[in-house]
Amino acid sequence: MSTNIFWQESPIGKTERQKLLNQKGCVVWITGLSGSGKSTLACSLSRELYTRGKLSYILDGDNLRHGLNKDLGFKAEDRVENIRRVGEVAKLFADAGLICIASLISPYRKDRDACREMMQGSSFIEVYMNMSLQLCEARDPKGLYKLARAGKIKGFTGIDDPYESPLNCEIELKEKEGECPSSVAMAEEVIAYLEAKGFLQNQ
Ligand SMILES: Nc1ncnc2c1ncn2[C@@H]1O[C@H](COP(=O)(O)OS(=O)(=O)O)[C@@H](OP(=O)(O)O)[C@H]1O
Ligand SMILES: Nc1ncnc2c1ncn2[C@@H]1O[C@H](COP(=O)(O)OP(=O)(O)O)[C@@H](O)[C@H]1O
């Protein structure tokens, strides 16, 4: 709770940085259950943007919990603080002119909405990985669902902790006829949105 603090203006602003990069800074916020494919999509998206000469940076929940958020666990208040911090960092990356890809479970609607509120205009793009718990649990690449079902992990999202799905997200990705689209196909859908909204150019 700092007092007597003042905002320091910078001579080079977001506008100049965006011009340099020929893109518009924004936050692509990927939310969904563990195992829904958030990190895989984030990587495909980042790779696809790179091949188009666009600069992005991934903020992955799991990775950030090794550093910036290593003091946080999975209690409700820790998850709230986790999302608040990542929202603030994502805002800085977007201000730097980058396409910031945040990939976190972010289970609470209120917290995701608070991140959206931090951003100007329509530069917060919420992508909902709407994959069934059944699919995520069948994948279980880290064996965490198995541990949660056995009661060895308490408060696991989707098992004994809540996930609040978005009500008004920009992009919803889901299974089609029981099949999950490839991460490349999903990345292309996100790119098409970014393109249509003018984030991949500066004019
Ligand atoms: N209790 C519990 N619930 C959910 N997830 C758990 C839990 N314990 C550990 N993990 C692992 O932590 C990863 C999720 O971290 P996040 O920072 O994205 O979570 S959150 O947004 O704060 O809810 C999550 O990674 P993903 O599988 O990539 O989603 C898990 O590997
Ligand atoms: N579109 C997809 N189609 C098939 N398998 C996928 C797809 N996306 C992710 N996977 C697989 O599902 C598992 C979970 O993906 P991951 O990206 O780690 O999810 P999350 O980050 O949401 O936990 C991994 O084994 C990954 O290879």
Side-chain angles (χ1 to χ4, degrees):
M1 292 294 171
S2 313
T3 54
N4 299 321
I5 52 167
F6 302 89
W7 189 261
Q8 177 67 52
E9 288 299 340
S10 152
I12 303 297
K14 186 177 183 183
T15 312
E16 289 80 12
R17 290 188 288 271
Q18 292 188 145
K19 212 165 170 186
L20 202 64
L21 295 167
N22 189 28
Q23 61 185 52
K24 293 197 190 85
C26 62
V27 174
V28 176
W29 190 281
I30 307 174
T31 174
L33 293 174
S34 175
S36 59
K38 302 181 297 295
S39 305
T40 309
L41 172 61
C43 291
S44 292
L45 183 56
S46 187
R47 210 178 296 117
E48 191 57 36
L49 287 167
Y50 178 78
T51 62
R52 288 166 185 247
K54 302 298 162 193
L55 189 59
S56 67
Y57 192 82
I58 300 175
L59 298 175
D60 189 273
D62 245 340
N63 292 357
L64 294 172
R65 283 173 174 276
H66 285 85
L68 177 71
N69 295 329
K70 73 197 303 183
D71 58 326
L72 302 176
F74 291 91
K75 289 183 298 196
E77 62 264 39
D78 284 4
R79 293 188 199 245
V80 170
E81 176 59 11
N82 186 31
I83 301 313
R84 187 196 69 79
R85 281 186 204 170
V86 179
E88 291 286 357
V89 174
K91 182 181 169 181
L92 293 177
F93 274 99
D95 187 55
L98 274 69
I99 296 160
C100 181
I101 306 166
S103 158
L104 297 99
I105 296 178
S106 41
Y108 306 127
R109 201 174 287 138
K110 195 165 157 240
D111 301 333
R112 296 191 303 265
D113 288 347
C115 293
R116 179 188 289 278
E117 290 300 309
M118 285 180 206
M119 301 291 300
Q120 288 171 341
S122 55
S123 56
F124 184 88
I125 299 127
E126 191 173 0
V127 178
Y128 174 31
M129 300 300 285
N130 186 4
M131 306 302 158
S132 64
L133 175 62
Q134 199 187 13
L135 176 77
C136 299
E137 200 169 350
R139 286 177 172 168
D140 203 11
K142 304 171 200 157
L144 298 178
Y145 282 101
K146 203 165 172 217
L147 290 173
R149 287 288 185 197
K152 292 182 181 152
I153 300 179
K154 302 279 183 220
F156 196 78
T157 307
I159 303 296
D160 55 350
D161 225 52
Y163 178 81
E164 300 169 0
S165 48
L167 298 175
N168 283 307
C169 60
E170 281 69 17
I171 302 173
E172 180 180 359
L173 300 168
K174 53 183 175 185
E175 293 152 77
K176 285 172 189 138
E177 292 155 13
E179 292 278 311
C180 179
S182 73
S183 63
V184 171
M186 292 192 282
E188 277 165 5
E189 197 171 330
V190 178
I191 300 243
Y193 182 92
L194 294 174
E195 188 108 67
K197 298 289 175 184
F199 288 106
L200 304 186
Q201 57 185 37
N202 191 245
Q203 303 317 311

